[in-house]
Amino acid sequence: IIRLRHCKYIKVLGNGSSDQYGFFMTSTATNSPAMSVSGRSSNIEMAYADINNHGYGFWVKEEGACEDSLQYPNFTIDNISLHDNRVRNTYYSGFYIGSTDPNGTRPYTCNGVTIYPKPLRLGNIKVYNNIIDRTGRGGIQMSCAQFGTNEIYGNTITNIGQQLDGQQGNGIVLGGYTHANIYNNTVNYTFAA
């Protein structure tokens, strides 16, 4: 598992191998992502990983937090590039990008006080040239991507929604406050229409 928290200007690239994918990642943990970016992170590239049997392939987000610096509008997770990866057999989503609670409706207890913080927004997120096959829920889900140019392109997405949940079986999903350019993707065999 590779976790980048409060990181800037990092490249995690498996292209130094004679194989197409320099990283092979597998796990029995059904709740954790293979690769994650969170906190006050920006300018990160993750590529050439073969991810098999994880909870999620990629996770890029910061949910509500007690610290003001980790609440909207005080920072934007910016300039994240996820490309040329293969993600297979995830229990949940292949790519889980941004919080699905953009308006801060989930309660958090901070020093004995319940608050409803808004999660960090994202900007300039690029997800491209990935192979995503056999996910429990969605293939690529992007929420809170409110700023900059966000793009999802050149991905091959198949056999999505193996949990058979009608609300969680789409190839590509855009959530609250997101604007993105989506083009040249191939999506086949999803549970949700």
Side-chain angles (χ1 to χ4, degrees), residues 129-133 153-158 184-188:
N129 296 344
N130 298 287
I131 297 169
I132 303 155
D133 185 45
Y153 64 91
N155 300 287
T156 301
I157 304 167
T158 54
N184 295 340
N185 296 285
T186 301
V187 180
N188 286 307

Side-chain angles (χ1 to χ4, degrees), residues 173-186:
V173 175
L174 298 183
Y177 301 103
T178 296
H179 60 86
N181 298 320
I182 302 173
Y183 56 95
N184 295 340
N185 296 285
T186 301

Side-chain angles (χ1 to χ4, degrees), residues 4 7-12 37 39-46 60 75-83 97 121-128 142 144-151 153:
L4 301 179
C7 294
K8 294 183 179 182
Y9 301 102
I10 303 245
K11 292 180 183 248
V12 180
V37 176
R40 296 172 64 87
S41 294
S42 67
N43 300 291
I44 292 172
E45 180 181 6
M46 300 176 120
V60 179
F75 188 78
T76 299
I77 298 173
D78 187 46
N79 196 23
I80 309 297
S81 176
L82 311 172
H83 65 89
I97 301 168
R121 301 298 195 251
L122 289 74
N124 299 301
I125 308 297
K126 298 194 178 6
V127 180
Y128 63 95
M142 183 182 288
C144 290
Q146 187 171 350
F147 303 106
T149 302
N150 303 295
E151 296 182 280
Y153 64 91

Side-chain angles (χ1 to χ4, degrees), residues 8-175:
K8 294 183 179 182
Y9 301 102
I10 303 245
K11 292 180 183 248
V12 180
L13 307 176
N15 60 351
S17 168
S18 60
D19 190 2
Q20 180 177 359
Y21 304 105
F23 296 112
F24 178 72
M25 306 174 79
T26 188
S27 174
T28 57
T30 59
N31 287 325
S32 65
M35 294 184 154
S36 70
V37 176
S38 64
R40 296 172 64 87
S41 294
S42 67
N43 300 291
I44 292 172
E45 180 181 6
M46 300 176 120
Y48 307 107
D50 185 0
I51 297 167
N52 190 26
N53 291 325
H54 270 270
Y56 304 85
F58 289 86
W59 174 300
V60 179
K61 63 180 187 159
E62 181 65 35
E63 290 291 354
C66 294
E67 301 90 344
D68 289 347
S69 65
L70 295 174
Q71 297 175 20
Y72 172 78
N74 298 320
F75 188 78
T76 299
I77 298 173
D78 187 46
N79 196 23
I80 309 297
S81 176
L82 311 172
H83 65 89
D84 294 287
N85 300 287
R86 181 168 60 184
V87 177
R88 299 172 292 155
N89 301 308
T90 59
Y91 189 78
Y92 294 108
S93 300
F95 288 73
Y96 192 176
I97 301 168
S99 175
T100 53
D101 180 34
N103 292 319
T105 62
R106 296 177 187 149
Y108 289 82
T109 302
C110 304
N111 297 321
V113 176
T114 300
I115 64 170
Y116 296 85
K118 291 182 180 178
L120 292 180
R121 301 298 195 251
L122 289 74
N124 299 301
I125 308 297
K126 298 194 178 6
V127 180
Y128 63 95
N129 296 344
N130 298 287
I131 297 169
I132 303 155
D133 185 45
R134 293 185 307 276
T135 63
R137 293 186 178 176
I140 300 171
Q141 177 177 293
M142 183 182 288
S143 297
C144 290
Q146 187 171 350
F147 303 106
T149 302
N150 303 295
E151 296 182 280
I152 300 172
Y153 64 91
N155 300 287
T156 301
I157 304 167
T158 54
N159 302 306
I160 303 303
Q162 302 290 301
Q163 291 180 357
L164 306 180
D165 180 338
Q167 297 178 4
Q168 299 280 354
N170 292 292
I172 299 172
V173 175
L174 298 183

